[in-house]
Amino acid sequence: MESSVEELEGNKIKLTVEVEASEVDKAVDAAARKLARQVRMPGFRPGKVPRRVLEARMGQGALREEALRDSLPEYYASAVREHEVDVIAAPEIDITEGRDEGDLKFDAVVEVRPVVQVPGYAGLQITLERPEATDEEIDRQIDRLRANAATLEEVSRPAKDGDVLTIDLGMTPSQGEPSNLTDVSYTLGSNEFGVEDLDVQLQGARIGDILKFSASPAEGRTVSFQVLVKAVRTQVLPDVTDEWASQESEFDTVEALRDDLRTRITAVKRLQAGLALRERALAALVDLVTDDAPAPLVEGEVERLLHDLGHRLEAQGATFEQYLQATGQEPQAFLDDLRARAVPQVKADLALRALAEAEDLEVSEEDMDNEIARIAQEVGQSPAQIRRNLVSADQLPAVRSDLRKAKALAWLLEHVDVVDPEGQPIDRADLEPQPAGDSDGPDEDALKEQQA
């Protein structure tokens, strides 16, 4: 078999493949053996029908057509591997010679992954907040701890956010039975009941006030509310003293507690800064790509996103229909949103490939061995078995490509300029995650939630 490649416009190439008649005849023999196992003819055991008998029964042209249907994909795939063509769509194949007999010749026009340009990638700059705890953030965490030991004191002033009100709450829906709640403790501004108008009405309320209003907490459902304000109490926080610190934490002094909080908050901020560095550097690189994302790659990314979501839903015992209903999305709008998310992902792939090419970043055999060993450990198989599986599935090039893009991303994160909002450089060491320690102080998940 001989083949050649010709570049066309629009990210397409044309593979011209020629196959000698003797090679095609082997494919016809293989097709005859396959059909012999499928057909039943009097006088012949299954699988023993001779080729000449099949040709007489089906016609020589029909048998050759079956052979070409089976073998053309293999001839095409062989030419793709020979020329290392990075195809991204199904080919359009046109048999130009030998459809009925003799040597076979065909053209395959196929779209390939475009090679984009990322001019200016070496001078990218991104802005991050400095991963340092501020006094205000530490004060907020101190106040969270103080709230744990807060007492409530009745006040005569108008109610404001944070006050704890005692109320009687009557609710009469437009459809259904009315209900009444008495002596409800309600924190103003919390929207605990999911009725925003309740917080609005209670702002500035005093003891003895009776409030009447209507709201729609659910679509298509109107509820009439009547609220009696029976008490307004404010939180009285304990003083910040060493005695309080020793009671509410493992530390003997307020200074030691604040130092621990500073360490914890900074650790969380460093973690978040590292994630933001990756996200913003990659986004800045993608902005350099002026080419449109090829439709086949976008659709492929959409399929990947759908596949990932399907796995997550399956693990939760849910379906796509239930997901769409729960999120209030129409199927077409959901797909449009996926495509919008897929475009920058595709451009990021193209941009990282371009950077790797520009910086001549290559993947060594040691890199491949280490990656295969990592996969093997992850799935509980031997590296040799993983390699055989990858070779059998023709996935070694994909693994090499992923490693090369990972090297490109690492290069980008190492070389992008990082500054704070004032334009001052941020030391790379300040972006590396640091352990927050094993103390029994404030919950670190709560710190992450506050910093998010």
Side-chain angles (χ1 to χ4, degrees):
M1 189 188 87
E2 296 182 356
S3 63
S4 60
V5 63
E6 175 188 352
E7 292 187 6
L8 304 176
E9 293 182 355
N11 295 323
K12 292 185 176 182
I13 57 98
K14 181 173 74 173
L15 286 167
T16 298
V17 182
E18 299 180 55
V19 186
E20 294 182 355
S22 59
E23 193 71 22
V24 178
D25 198 54
K26 293 179 182 177
V28 175
D29 278 339
R33 289 193 296 272
K34 184 184 76 171
L35 290 173
R37 292 191 294 269
Q38 298 173 355
V39 301
R40 296 291 182 268
M41 297 184 65
F44 297 96
R45 297 195 306 273
K48 299 299 183 181
V49 182
R51 170 177 166 178
R52 58 182 175 77
V53 175
L54 286 171
E55 288 178 336
R57 175 77 175 269
M58 300 174 56
Q60 186 173 359
L63 189 58
R64 186 178 176 92
E65 183 178 345
E66 182 71 20
L68 293 182
R69 187 181 298 112
D70 291 343
S71 59
L72 273 177
E74 296 179 9
Y75 299 148
Y76 164 74
S78 178
V80 167
R81 288 192 296 269
E82 178 184 354
H83 296 282
E84 298 182 345
V85 179
D86 191 2
V87 302
I88 62 173
E92 298 176 3
I93 293 180
D94 178 30
I95 298 177
T96 57
E97 297 178 17
R99 181 181 290 277
D100 299 320
E101 61 180 1
D103 294 345
L104 172 69
K105 186 176 182 180
F106 68 89
D107 295 331
V109 176
V110 65
E111 189 170 357
V112 297
R113 193 185 308 273
V115 176
V116 302
Q117 302 299 318
V118 283
Y121 71 87
L124 289 176
Q125 184 181 90
I126 63 169
T127 301
L128 296 177
E129 294 289 340
R130 287 194 174 275
E132 301 169 351
T134 65
D135 289 338
E136 292 77 8
E137 290 168 332
I138 295 172
D139 289 341
R140 283 198 295 269
Q141 291 299 325
I142 290 287
D143 286 342
R144 287 168 64 99
L145 290 174
R146 294 170 70 198
N148 293 335
T151 58
L152 294 175
E153 181 179 284
E154 192 164 310
V155 293
S156 58
R157 60 165 172 75
K160 62 181 182 180
D161 280 347
D163 287 345
V164 179
L165 281 60
T166 301
I167 60 176
D168 288 349
L169 181 62
M171 297 170 286
T172 305
S174 55
Q175 296 178 353
E177 296 296 322
S179 59
N180 294 282
L181 302 174
T182 58
D183 293 332
V184 176
S185 181
Y186 185 80
T187 301
L188 186 53
S190 66
N191 193 25
E192 294 175 39
F193 296 157
V195 182
E196 292 183 5
D197 286 348
L198 179 60
D199 283 315
V200 174
Q201 295 291 330
L202 286 173
Q203 287 286 347
R206 294 177 180 272
I207 298 173
D209 284 354
I210 298 177
L211 310 171
K212 296 180 180 181
F213 61 96
S214 295
S216 300
E219 187 176 349
R221 178 183 168 209
T222 301
V223 179
S224 297
F225 291 88
Q226 178 170 304
V227 184
L228 169 62
V229 181
K230 302 173 76 172
V232 178
R233 292 176 294 173
T234 187
Q235 284 190 334
V236 179
L237 303 179
D239 293 335
V240 181
T241 63
D242 290 344
E243 180 182 2
W244 166 82
S246 64
Q247 292 174 346
E248 294 297 325
S249 73
E250 63 175 316
F251 302 101
D252 294 330
T253 65
V254 173
E255 182 180 1
L257 173 59
R258 293 183 67 88
D259 287 344
D260 180 70
L261 286 170
R262 188 179 302 278
T263 299
R264 288 173 175 272
I265 294 172
T266 298
V268 171
K269 283 194 162 189
R270 285 193 173 197
L271 177 62
Q272 293 172 334
L275 297 175
L277 169 63
R278 182 187 187 281
E279 178 181 336
R280 296 181 189 179
L282 196 52
L285 183 67
V286 167
D287 286 343
L288 301 178
V289 179
T290 58
D291 304 63
D292 291 334
L297 291 179
V298 173
E299 293 306 312
E301 180 64 14
V302 169
E303 289 183 9
R304 187 190 69 79
L305 292 172
L306 283 171
H307 183 267
D308 290 349
L309 176 59
H311 269 301
R312 294 198 299 271
L313 292 175
E314 184 180 0
Q316 298 170 7
T319 65
F320 275 114
E321 290 74 16
Q322 291 170 331
Y323 172 79
L324 292 176
Q325 185 177 9
T327 56
Q329 299 182 79
E330 293 295 328
Q332 189 57 53
F334 169 69
L335 288 175
D336 291 343
D337 178 65
L338 281 187
R339 287 192 181 91
R341 290 165 50 193
V343 169
Q345 296 289 344
V346 169
K347 286 191 172 185
D349 172 89
L350 297 176
L352 289 174
R353 291 171 186 267
L355 193 157
E357 191 67 26
E359 289 297 323
D360 197 26
L361 303 175
E362 298 297 339
V363 177
S364 67
E365 288 307 312
E366 182 180 0
D367 294 330
M368 290 291 290
D369 290 342
N370 291 338
E371 178 64 7
I372 289 173
R374 184 194 67 79
I375 297 173
Q377 184 176 17
E378 191 174 279
V379 301
Q381 296 182 8
S382 69
Q385 181 62 51
I386 293 297
R387 184 178 287 274
R388 285 194 295 270
N389 294 343
L390 292 172
V391 170
S392 175
D394 196 25
Q395 287 299 303
L396 276 181
V399 174
R400 188 178 295 276
S401 176
D402 287 344
L403 288 176
R404 195 174 189 224
K405 286 187 292 182
K407 285 196 170 188
L409 179 58
W411 187 97
L412 176 65
L413 298 184
E414 183 179 347
H415 290 83
V416 67
D417 289 333
V418 186
V419 298
D420 64 16
E422 285 71 42
Q424 297 301 312
I426 295 179
D427 192 334
R428 276 296 196 289
D430 292 339
L431 303 177
E432 297 176 359
Q434 296 291 330
D438 299 323
S439 66
D440 296 325
D443 182 75
E444 190 162 319
D445 287 338
L447 294 178
K448 290 182 182 179
E449 181 179 349
Q450 183 184 16
Q451 295 300 324

